[in-house]
Each structure stands twice: as C-alpha cells, then as structure tokens.
Amino acid sequence: MDAKTPDLRPDTTGTQVAETLASCREKREPLFGYAHARFGFCRDEAQEILQETLMELMQIQRPIASPDGLVFRIFHLRCVRHLCWKKAQTGSPTVKAEHMTSAASHRRIHEHLLVRQGFARISRFCRNVLTSHYIDGNSMRETAEQIGRAYSGVSKLISRCLRRLKECLES
C-alpha cells in the first residue's frame, strides 16, 4: 500500500467509508479480484456489485468499528446474492428457495454485525457477562462464578449490561 492510499479508519461513518472506497482504486481492486476468483464474475458484474455495496454503506450513519471488515462482508453478501440471482435466471426452482434463504441470511448477518459493533462499544466486563450467559450458555450461577460475583446480583448485572448494549445499538 503506497502513501496515497487512504486508510479506512475505525469510527468513520458508512458514507465516509463509501466515499473512500469509491475514490481509491487500491481499495477496489482486491474486491474485484475476489469476485472473479471466488465467484467467477467479470469486471462489469463486480463493478455493479460494488455499486450496490457503496449504496448499502451510505445508509449506515453510525460509526463503524471495523470498516475494512464491513466492506468485505457486505461485498461478499452482495456477490452471493448476485450469484443466486444468476442461477435463478436459469429457472432452477431450488435456486429460488436458495435465494430466499440468502436474503434472510443477509439480514441475519447484518444484524450480527450491528451487535458486534455494539459489543465493541460496551465495557469489557459487560462483554464478558453477556458472552458467558448468552453465547456460552452458562446459567446465572455459572456466570456468577466465572466473573467472580455473587449469584444474587447476576440478574441485575445482566439486565444492566443488556441495557448498555441496547443504548449502543440505538446511538
């Protein structure tokens, strides 16, 4: 990467990321290469997918914790959607169901990314509490033991951490 290539810094908005991506060839070329190598798309198809990616990025008004990762993930999902659309054009009935699943999957992944961004904004302690209870599936007693707190206060602690996560997702 030369000195002219702008970095996608954390905590920039989607519009800023989209502008940087649109103006910087060095940022776009790896995406085009990926679309060709992974999905077999020609350059025109990859550019169309990039345009859709830019439009989606511009809709994100909150700061983005990991711009490069989000750009790649959105671009990848758009490639998958485009591939499903191409297969659906051939008239295969199974592909249409696949396309519907892809749309639901896209929405789910987008929600997952938003939650990850919210997790990045809350304290490490709250991340540990919520991860222990919801992701690892520990009971409240096991969560209390893991974080070194009394069992009696874990319910309120989980509620407070969830409230903080919700505030981060809404801002």
mmCIF file with all atom_site columns, all heavy atoms in Angstrom, residues 32-53:
data_model
loop_
_atom_site.group_PDB
_atom_site.id
_atom_site.type_symbol
_atom_site.label_atom_id
_atom_site.label_alt_id
_atom_site.label_comp_id
_atom_site.label_asym_id
_atom_site.label_entity_id
_atom_site.label_seq_id
_atom_site.pdbx_PDB_ins_code
_atom_site.Cartn_x
_atom_site.Cartn_y
_atom_site.Cartn_z
_atom_site.occupancy
_atom_site.B_iso_or_equiv
_atom_site.pdbx_formal_charge
_atom_site.auth_seq_id
_atom_site.auth_comp_id
_atom_site.auth_asym_id
_atom_site.auth_atom_id
_atom_site.pdbx_PDB_model_num
ATOM 1   N N   . PHE A 1 32 ? -12.571 -6.650  -6.583  1.00 0.00 ? 32 PHE A N   1
ATOM 2   C CA  . PHE A 1 32 ? -12.816 -7.152  -7.945  1.00 0.00 ? 32 PHE A CA  1
ATOM 3   C C   . PHE A 1 32 ? -12.130 -8.499  -8.139  1.00 0.00 ? 32 PHE A C   1
ATOM 4   O O   . PHE A 1 32 ? -12.699 -9.426  -8.721  1.00 0.00 ? 32 PHE A O   1
ATOM 5   C CB  . PHE A 1 32 ? -12.324 -6.165  -9.001  1.00 0.00 ? 32 PHE A CB  1
ATOM 6   C CG  . PHE A 1 32 ? -13.094 -4.873  -9.035  1.00 0.00 ? 32 PHE A CG  1
ATOM 7   C CD1 . PHE A 1 32 ? -12.497 -3.729  -9.525  1.00 0.00 ? 32 PHE A CD1 1
ATOM 8   C CD2 . PHE A 1 32 ? -14.403 -4.783  -8.607  1.00 0.00 ? 32 PHE A CD2 1
ATOM 9   C CE1 . PHE A 1 32 ? -13.191 -2.529  -9.578  1.00 0.00 ? 32 PHE A CE1 1
ATOM 10  C CE2 . PHE A 1 32 ? -15.106 -3.589  -8.652  1.00 0.00 ? 32 PHE A CE2 1
ATOM 11  C CZ  . PHE A 1 32 ? -14.498 -2.459  -9.137  1.00 0.00 ? 32 PHE A CZ  1
ATOM 12  N N   . GLY A 1 33 ? -10.899 -8.604  -7.646  1.00 0.00 ? 33 GLY A N   1
ATOM 13  C CA  . GLY A 1 33 ? -10.164 -9.871  -7.748  1.00 0.00 ? 33 GLY A CA  1
ATOM 14  C C   . GLY A 1 33 ? -10.867 -10.988 -6.994  1.00 0.00 ? 33 GLY A C   1
ATOM 15  O O   . GLY A 1 33 ? -10.948 -12.123 -7.470  1.00 0.00 ? 33 GLY A O   1
ATOM 16  N N   . TYR A 1 34 ? -11.385 -10.663 -5.827  1.00 0.00 ? 34 TYR A N   1
ATOM 17  C CA  . TYR A 1 34 ? -12.110 -11.649 -5.035  1.00 0.00 ? 34 TYR A CA  1
ATOM 18  C C   . TYR A 1 34 ? -13.367 -12.109 -5.777  1.00 0.00 ? 34 TYR A C   1
ATOM 19  O O   . TYR A 1 34 ? -13.652 -13.307 -5.838  1.00 0.00 ? 34 TYR A O   1
ATOM 20  C CB  . TYR A 1 34 ? -12.487 -11.053 -3.671  1.00 0.00 ? 34 TYR A CB  1
ATOM 21  C CG  . TYR A 1 34 ? -13.369 -11.947 -2.844  1.00 0.00 ? 34 TYR A CG  1
ATOM 22  C CD1 . TYR A 1 34 ? -12.852 -13.065 -2.191  1.00 0.00 ? 34 TYR A CD1 1
ATOM 23  C CD2 . TYR A 1 34 ? -14.724 -11.683 -2.713  1.00 0.00 ? 34 TYR A CD2 1
ATOM 24  C CE1 . TYR A 1 34 ? -13.663 -13.887 -1.437  1.00 0.00 ? 34 TYR A CE1 1
ATOM 25  C CE2 . TYR A 1 34 ? -15.543 -12.503 -1.964  1.00 0.00 ? 34 TYR A CE2 1
ATOM 26  C CZ  . TYR A 1 34 ? -15.008 -13.608 -1.324  1.00 0.00 ? 34 TYR A CZ  1
ATOM 27  O OH  . TYR A 1 34 ? -15.813 -14.427 -0.585  1.00 0.00 ? 34 TYR A OH  1
ATOM 28  N N   . ALA A 1 35 ? -14.116 -11.173 -6.336  1.00 0.00 ? 35 ALA A N   1
ATOM 29  C CA  . ALA A 1 35 ? -15.340 -11.517 -7.061  1.00 0.00 ? 35 ALA A CA  1
ATOM 30  C C   . ALA A 1 35 ? -15.042 -12.435 -8.244  1.00 0.00 ? 35 ALA A C   1
ATOM 31  O O   . ALA A 1 35 ? -15.796 -13.361 -8.532  1.00 0.00 ? 35 ALA A O   1
ATOM 32  C CB  . ALA A 1 35 ? -16.060 -10.250 -7.529  1.00 0.00 ? 35 ALA A CB  1
ATOM 33  N N   . HIS A 1 36 ? -13.921 -12.179 -8.902  1.00 0.00 ? 36 HIS A N   1
ATOM 34  C CA  . HIS A 1 36 ? -13.553 -13.010 -10.047 1.00 0.00 ? 36 HIS A CA  1
ATOM 35  C C   . HIS A 1 36 ? -13.063 -14.388 -9.595  1.00 0.00 ? 36 HIS A C   1
ATOM 36  O O   . HIS A 1 36 ? -13.499 -15.413 -10.115 1.00 0.00 ? 36 HIS A O   1
ATOM 37  C CB  . HIS A 1 36 ? -12.481 -12.321 -10.888 1.00 0.00 ? 36 HIS A CB  1
ATOM 38  C CG  . HIS A 1 36 ? -12.031 -13.148 -12.043 1.00 0.00 ? 36 HIS A CG  1
ATOM 39  N ND1 . HIS A 1 36 ? -12.840 -13.404 -13.138 1.00 0.00 ? 36 HIS A ND1 1
ATOM 40  C CD2 . HIS A 1 36 ? -10.871 -13.820 -12.259 1.00 0.00 ? 36 HIS A CD2 1
ATOM 41  C CE1 . HIS A 1 36 ? -12.183 -14.173 -13.979 1.00 0.00 ? 36 HIS A CE1 1
ATOM 42  N NE2 . HIS A 1 36 ? -10.996 -14.455 -13.466 1.00 0.00 ? 36 HIS A NE2 1
ATOM 43  N N   . ALA A 1 37 ? -12.152 -14.399 -8.602  1.00 0.00 ? 37 ALA A N   1
ATOM 44  C CA  . ALA A 1 37 ? -11.554 -15.663 -8.167  1.00 0.00 ? 37 ALA A CA  1
ATOM 45  C C   . ALA A 1 37 ? -12.557 -16.568 -7.449  1.00 0.00 ? 37 ALA A C   1
ATOM 46  O O   . ALA A 1 37 ? -12.587 -17.776 -7.674  1.00 0.00 ? 37 ALA A O   1
ATOM 47  C CB  . ALA A 1 37 ? -10.370 -15.384 -7.243  1.00 0.00 ? 37 ALA A CB  1
ATOM 48  N N   . ARG A 1 38 ? -13.394 -15.997 -6.612  1.00 0.00 ? 38 ARG A N   1
ATOM 49  C CA  . ARG A 1 38 ? -14.306 -16.806 -5.797  1.00 0.00 ? 38 ARG A CA  1
ATOM 50  C C   . ARG A 1 38 ? -15.600 -17.153 -6.524  1.00 0.00 ? 38 ARG A C   1
ATOM 51  O O   . ARG A 1 38 ? -16.122 -18.245 -6.382  1.00 0.00 ? 38 ARG A O   1
ATOM 52  C CB  . ARG A 1 38 ? -14.629 -16.032 -4.508  1.00 0.00 ? 38 ARG A CB  1
ATOM 53  C CG  . ARG A 1 38 ? -15.644 -16.688 -3.597  1.00 0.00 ? 38 ARG A CG  1
ATOM 54  C CD  . ARG A 1 38 ? -15.049 -17.887 -2.886  1.00 0.00 ? 38 ARG A CD  1
ATOM 55  N NE  . ARG A 1 38 ? -15.911 -18.405 -1.859  1.00 0.00 ? 38 ARG A NE  1
ATOM 56  C CZ  . ARG A 1 38 ? -16.912 -19.263 -2.073  1.00 0.00 ? 38 ARG A CZ  1
ATOM 57  N NH1 . ARG A 1 38 ? -17.184 -19.662 -3.276  1.00 0.00 ? 38 ARG A NH1 1
ATOM 58  N NH2 . ARG A 1 38 ? -17.630 -19.702 -1.073  1.00 0.00 ? 38 ARG A NH2 1
ATOM 59  N N   . PHE A 1 39 ? -16.135 -16.203 -7.319  1.00 0.00 ? 39 PHE A N   1
ATOM 60  C CA  . PHE A 1 39 ? -17.446 -16.400 -7.927  1.00 0.00 ? 39 PHE A CA  1
ATOM 61  C C   . PHE A 1 39 ? -17.411 -16.451 -9.453  1.00 0.00 ? 39 PHE A C   1
ATOM 62  O O   . PHE A 1 39 ? -18.416 -16.747 -10.077 1.00 0.00 ? 39 PHE A O   1
ATOM 63  C CB  . PHE A 1 39 ? -18.405 -15.283 -7.494  1.00 0.00 ? 39 PHE A CB  1
ATOM 64  C CG  . PHE A 1 39 ? -18.643 -15.251 -6.010  1.00 0.00 ? 39 PHE A CG  1
ATOM 65  C CD1 . PHE A 1 39 ? -17.942 -14.390 -5.198  1.00 0.00 ? 39 PHE A CD1 1
ATOM 66  C CD2 . PHE A 1 39 ? -19.568 -16.096 -5.424  1.00 0.00 ? 39 PHE A CD2 1
ATOM 67  C CE1 . PHE A 1 39 ? -18.154 -14.355 -3.828  1.00 0.00 ? 39 PHE A CE1 1
ATOM 68  C CE2 . PHE A 1 39 ? -19.788 -16.076 -4.060  1.00 0.00 ? 39 PHE A CE2 1
ATOM 69  C CZ  . PHE A 1 39 ? -19.078 -15.203 -3.254  1.00 0.00 ? 39 PHE A CZ  1
ATOM 70  N N   . GLY A 1 40 ? -16.263 -16.115 -10.043 1.00 0.00 ? 40 GLY A N   1
ATOM 71  C CA  . GLY A 1 40 ? -16.156 -16.142 -11.499 1.00 0.00 ? 40 GLY A CA  1
ATOM 72  C C   . GLY A 1 40 ? -16.833 -14.967 -12.186 1.00 0.00 ? 40 GLY A C   1
ATOM 73  O O   . GLY A 1 40 ? -17.163 -15.040 -13.365 1.00 0.00 ? 40 GLY A O   1
ATOM 74  N N   . PHE A 1 41 ? -17.044 -13.861 -11.471 1.00 0.00 ? 41 PHE A N   1
ATOM 75  C CA  . PHE A 1 41 ? -17.705 -12.699 -12.049 1.00 0.00 ? 41 PHE A CA  1
ATOM 76  C C   . PHE A 1 41 ? -16.738 -11.894 -12.908 1.00 0.00 ? 41 PHE A C   1
ATOM 77  O O   . PHE A 1 41 ? -15.560 -11.760 -12.574 1.00 0.00 ? 41 PHE A O   1
ATOM 78  C CB  . PHE A 1 41 ? -18.265 -11.774 -10.972 1.00 0.00 ? 41 PHE A CB  1
ATOM 79  C CG  . PHE A 1 41 ? -19.363 -12.387 -10.140 1.00 0.00 ? 41 PHE A CG  1
ATOM 80  C CD1 . PHE A 1 41 ? -19.539 -12.011 -8.829  1.00 0.00 ? 41 PHE A CD1 1
ATOM 81  C CD2 . PHE A 1 41 ? -20.233 -13.330 -10.662 1.00 0.00 ? 41 PHE A CD2 1
ATOM 82  C CE1 . PHE A 1 41 ? -20.546 -12.550 -8.056  1.00 0.00 ? 41 PHE A CE1 1
ATOM 83  C CE2 . PHE A 1 41 ? -21.245 -13.881 -9.903  1.00 0.00 ? 41 PHE A CE2 1
ATOM 84  C CZ  . PHE A 1 41 ? -21.394 -13.499 -8.595  1.00 0.00 ? 41 PHE A CZ  1
ATOM 85  N N   . CYS A 1 42 ? -17.256 -11.362 -14.008 1.00 0.00 ? 42 CYS A N   1
ATOM 86  C CA  . CYS A 1 42 ? -16.449 -10.466 -14.840 1.00 0.00 ? 42 CYS A CA  1
ATOM 87  C C   . CYS A 1 42 ? -16.355 -9.107  -14.138 1.00 0.00 ? 42 CYS A C   1
ATOM 88  O O   . CYS A 1 42 ? -17.042 -8.846  -13.147 1.00 0.00 ? 42 CYS A O   1
ATOM 89  C CB  . CYS A 1 42 ? -17.064 -10.323 -16.233 1.00 0.00 ? 42 CYS A CB  1
ATOM 90  S SG  . CYS A 1 42 ? -18.645 -9.474  -16.257 1.00 0.00 ? 42 CYS A SG  1
ATOM 91  N N   . ARG A 1 43 ? -15.509 -8.257  -14.666 1.00 0.00 ? 43 ARG A N   1
ATOM 92  C CA  . ARG A 1 43 ? -15.275 -6.940  -14.054 1.00 0.00 ? 43 ARG A CA  1
ATOM 93  C C   . ARG A 1 43 ? -16.562 -6.106  -14.008 1.00 0.00 ? 43 ARG A C   1
ATOM 94  O O   . ARG A 1 43 ? -16.822 -5.422  -13.020 1.00 0.00 ? 43 ARG A O   1
ATOM 95  C CB  . ARG A 1 43 ? -14.172 -6.205  -14.791 1.00 0.00 ? 43 ARG A CB  1
ATOM 96  C CG  . ARG A 1 43 ? -13.746 -4.944  -14.079 1.00 0.00 ? 43 ARG A CG  1
ATOM 97  C CD  . ARG A 1 43 ? -12.455 -4.411  -14.693 1.00 0.00 ? 43 ARG A CD  1
ATOM 98  N NE  . ARG A 1 43 ? -11.956 -3.314  -13.930 1.00 0.00 ? 43 ARG A NE  1
ATOM 99  C CZ  . ARG A 1 43 ? -11.193 -3.412  -12.855 1.00 0.00 ? 43 ARG A CZ  1
ATOM 100 N NH1 . ARG A 1 43 ? -10.839 -4.595  -12.409 1.00 0.00 ? 43 ARG A NH1 1
ATOM 101 N NH2 . ARG A 1 43 ? -10.769 -2.345  -12.216 1.00 0.00 ? 43 ARG A NH2 1
ATOM 102 N N   . ASP A 1 44 ? -17.375 -6.160  -15.060 1.00 0.00 ? 44 ASP A N   1
ATOM 103 C CA  . ASP A 1 44 ? -18.620 -5.387  -15.072 1.00 0.00 ? 44 ASP A CA  1
ATOM 104 C C   . ASP A 1 44 ? -19.562 -5.839  -13.953 1.00 0.00 ? 44 ASP A C   1
ATOM 105 O O   . ASP A 1 44 ? -20.190 -5.011  -13.296 1.00 0.00 ? 44 ASP A O   1
ATOM 106 C CB  . ASP A 1 44 ? -19.321 -5.506  -16.421 1.00 0.00 ? 44 ASP A CB  1
ATOM 107 C CG  . ASP A 1 44 ? -18.603 -4.748  -17.528 1.00 0.00 ? 44 ASP A CG  1
ATOM 108 O OD1 . ASP A 1 44 ? -17.787 -3.850  -17.197 1.00 0.00 ? 44 ASP A OD1 1
ATOM 109 O OD2 . ASP A 1 44 ? -18.846 -5.047  -18.713 1.00 0.00 ? 44 ASP A OD2 1
ATOM 110 N N   . GLU A 1 45 ? -19.665 -7.144  -13.755 1.00 0.00 ? 45 GLU A N   1
ATOM 111 C CA  . GLU A 1 45 ? -20.507 -7.654  -12.679 1.00 0.00 ? 45 GLU A CA  1
ATOM 112 C C   . GLU A 1 45 ? -19.969 -7.207  -11.322 1.00 0.00 ? 45 GLU A C   1
ATOM 113 O O   . GLU A 1 45 ? -20.729 -6.792  -10.441 1.00 0.00 ? 45 GLU A O   1
ATOM 114 C CB  . GLU A 1 45 ? -20.576 -9.178  -12.721 1.00 0.00 ? 45 GLU A CB  1
ATOM 115 C CG  . GLU A 1 45 ? -21.419 -9.730  -13.847 1.00 0.00 ? 45 GLU A CG  1
ATOM 116 C CD  . GLU A 1 45 ? -21.343 -11.247 -13.908 1.00 0.00 ? 45 GLU A CD  1
ATOM 117 O OE1 . GLU A 1 45 ? -20.223 -11.801 -13.959 1.00 0.00 ? 45 GLU A OE1 1
ATOM 118 O OE2 . GLU A 1 45 ? -22.423 -11.867 -13.893 1.00 0.00 ? 45 GLU A OE2 1
ATOM 119 N N   . ALA A 1 46 ? -18.654 -7.286  -11.158 1.00 0.00 ? 46 ALA A N   1
ATOM 120 C CA  . ALA A 1 46 ? -18.033 -6.882  -9.896  1.00 0.00 ? 46 ALA A CA  1
ATOM 121 C C   . ALA A 1 46 ? -18.254 -5.392  -9.636  1.00 0.00 ? 46 ALA A C   1
ATOM 122 O O   . ALA A 1 46 ? -18.502 -4.986  -8.498  1.00 0.00 ? 46 ALA A O   1
ATOM 123 C CB  . ALA A 1 46 ? -16.545 -7.215  -9.907  1.00 0.00 ? 46 ALA A CB  1
ATOM 124 N N   . GLN A 1 47 ? -18.193 -4.573  -10.679 1.00 0.00 ? 47 GLN A N   1
ATOM 125 C CA  . GLN A 1 47 ? -18.433 -3.137  -10.504 1.00 0.00 ? 47 GLN A CA  1
ATOM 126 C C   . GLN A 1 47 ? -19.883 -2.871  -10.109 1.00 0.00 ? 47 GLN A C   1
ATOM 127 O O   . GLN A 1 47 ? -20.159 -2.007  -9.276  1.00 0.00 ? 47 GLN A O   1
ATOM 128 C CB  . GLN A 1 47 ? -18.070 -2.378  -11.777 1.00 0.00 ? 47 GLN A CB  1
ATOM 129 C CG  . GLN A 1 47 ? -16.576 -2.274  -11.982 1.00 0.00 ? 47 GLN A CG  1
ATOM 130 C CD  . GLN A 1 47 ? -16.197 -1.588  -13.270 1.00 0.00 ? 47 GLN A CD  1
ATOM 131 O OE1 . GLN A 1 47 ? -16.957 -1.539  -14.229 1.00 0.00 ? 47 GLN A OE1 1
ATOM 132 N NE2 . GLN A 1 47 ? -14.988 -1.045  -13.288 1.00 0.00 ? 47 GLN A NE2 1
ATOM 133 N N   . GLU A 1 48 ? -20.798 -3.614  -10.682 1.00 0.00 ? 48 GLU A N   1
ATOM 134 C CA  . GLU A 1 48 ? -22.211 -3.470  -10.318 1.00 0.00 ? 48 GLU A CA  1
ATOM 135 C C   . GLU A 1 48 ? -22.418 -3.852  -8.855  1.00 0.00 ? 48 GLU A C   1
ATOM 136 O O   . GLU A 1 48 ? -23.134 -3.160  -8.115  1.00 0.00 ? 48 GLU A O   1
ATOM 137 C CB  . GLU A 1 48 ? -23.058 -4.365  -11.225 1.00 0.00 ? 48 GLU A CB  1
ATOM 138 C CG  . GLU A 1 48 ? -24.540 -4.249  -10.986 1.00 0.00 ? 48 GLU A CG  1
ATOM 139 C CD  . GLU A 1 48 ? -25.330 -5.146  -11.927 1.00 0.00 ? 48 GLU A CD  1
ATOM 140 O OE1 . GLU A 1 48 ? -25.004 -5.189  -13.136 1.00 0.00 ? 48 GLU A OE1 1
ATOM 141 O OE2 . GLU A 1 48 ? -26.253 -5.803  -11.438 1.00 0.00 ? 48 GLU A OE2 1
ATOM 142 N N   . ILE A 1 49 ? -21.784 -4.920  -8.437  1.00 0.00 ? 49 ILE A N   1
ATOM 143 C CA  . ILE A 1 49 ? -21.888 -5.364  -7.045  1.00 0.00 ? 49 ILE A CA  1
ATOM 144 C C   . ILE A 1 49 ? -21.262 -4.330  -6.123  1.00 0.00 ? 49 ILE A C   1
ATOM 145 O O   . ILE A 1 49 ? -21.788 -4.042  -5.048  1.00 0.00 ? 49 ILE A O   1
ATOM 146 C CB  . ILE A 1 49 ? -21.243 -6.755  -6.872  1.00 0.00 ? 49 ILE A CB  1
ATOM 147 C CG1 . ILE A 1 49 ? -22.054 -7.800  -7.645  1.00 0.00 ? 49 ILE A CG1 1
ATOM 148 C CG2 . ILE A 1 49 ? -21.129 -7.143  -5.406  1.00 0.00 ? 49 ILE A CG2 1
ATOM 149 C CD1 . ILE A 1 49 ? -21.355 -9.126  -7.841  1.00 0.00 ? 49 ILE A CD1 1
ATOM 150 N N   . LEU A 1 50 ? -20.143 -3.746  -6.549  1.00 0.00 ? 50 LEU A N   1
ATOM 151 C CA  . LEU A 1 50 ? -19.508 -2.707  -5.748  1.00 0.00 ? 50 LEU A CA  1
ATOM 152 C C   . LEU A 1 50 ? -20.442 -1.508  -5.593  1.00 0.00 ? 50 LEU A C   1
ATOM 153 O O   . LEU A 1 50 ? -20.534 -0.921  -4.506  1.00 0.00 ? 50 LEU A O   1
ATOM 154 C CB  . LEU A 1 50 ? -18.179 -2.269  -6.365  1.00 0.00 ? 50 LEU A CB  1
ATOM 155 C CG  . LEU A 1 50 ? -17.457 -1.170  -5.586  1.00 0.00 ? 50 LEU A CG  1
ATOM 156 C CD1 . LEU A 1 50 ? -17.031 -1.672  -4.212  1.00 0.00 ? 50 LEU A CD1 1
ATOM 157 C CD2 . LEU A 1 50 ? -16.260 -0.669  -6.354  1.00 0.00 ? 50 LEU A CD2 1
ATOM 158 N N   . GLN A 1 51 ? -21.145 -1.136  -6.646  1.00 0.00 ? 51 GLN A N   1
ATOM 159 C CA  . GLN A 1 51 ? -22.089 -0.020  -6.561  1.00 0.00 ? 51 GLN A CA  1
ATOM 160 C C   . GLN A 1 51 ? -23.177 -0.317  -5.525  1.00 0.00 ? 51 GLN A C   1
ATOM 161 O O   . GLN A 1 51 ? -23.538 0.558   -4.727  1.00 0.00 ? 51 GLN A O   1
ATOM 162 C CB  . GLN A 1 51 ? -22.731 0.253   -7.928  1.00 0.00 ? 51 GLN A CB  1
ATOM 163 C CG  . GLN A 1 51 ? -21.787 0.846   -8.935  1.00 0.00 ? 51 GLN A CG  1
ATOM 164 C CD  . GLN A 1 51 ? -21.244 2.197   -8.493  1.00 0.00 ? 51 GLN A CD  1
ATOM 165 O OE1 . GLN A 1 51 ? -21.977 3.031   -7.996  1.00 0.00 ? 51 GLN A OE1 1
ATOM 166 N NE2 . GLN A 1 51 ? -19.954 2.393   -8.678  1.00 0.00 ? 51 GLN A NE2 1
ATOM 167 N N   . GLU A 1 52 ? -23.689 -1.524  -5.508  1.00 0.00 ? 52 GLU A N   1
ATOM 168 C CA  . GLU A 1 52 ? -24.693 -1.916  -4.517  1.00 0.00 ? 52 GLU A CA  1
ATOM 169 C C   . GLU A 1 52 ? -24.101 -1.856  -3.110  1.00 0.00 ? 52 GLU A C   1
ATOM 170 O O   . GLU A 1 52 ? -24.757 -1.418  -2.161  1.00 0.00 ? 52 GLU A O   1
ATOM 171 C CB  . GLU A 1 52 ? -25.213 -3.319  -4.807  1.00 0.00 ? 52 GLU A CB  1
ATOM 172 C CG  . GLU A 1 52 ? -26.007 -3.426  -6.087  1.00 0.00 ? 52 GLU A CG  1
ATOM 173 C CD  . GLU A 1 52 ? -26.348 -4.873  -6.440  1.00 0.00 ? 52 GLU A CD  1
ATOM 174 O OE1 . GLU A 1 52 ? -26.058 -5.783  -5.638  1.00 0.00 ? 52 GLU A OE1 1
ATOM 175 O OE2 . GLU A 1 52 ? -26.903 -5.073  -7.529  1.00 0.00 ? 52 GLU A OE2 1
ATOM 176 N N   . THR A 1 53 ? -22.847 -2.286  -2.986  1.00 0.00 ? 53 THR A N   1
ATOM 177 C CA  . THR A 1 53 ? -22.158 -2.241  -1.701  1.00 0.00 ? 53 THR A CA  1
ATOM 178 C C   . THR A 1 53 ? -22.024 -0.799  -1.220  1.00 0.00 ? 53 THR A C   1
ATOM 179 O O   . THR A 1 53 ? -22.273 -0.493  -0.052  1.00 0.00 ? 53 THR A O   1
ATOM 180 C CB  . THR A 1 53 ? -20.767 -2.899  -1.817  1.00 0.00 ? 53 THR A CB  1
ATOM 181 O OG1 . THR A 1 53 ? -20.929 -4.257  -2.239  1.00 0.00 ? 53 THR A OG1 1
ATOM 182 C CG2 . THR A 1 53 ? -20.018 -2.866  -0.500  1.00 0.00 ? 53 THR A CG2 1
#
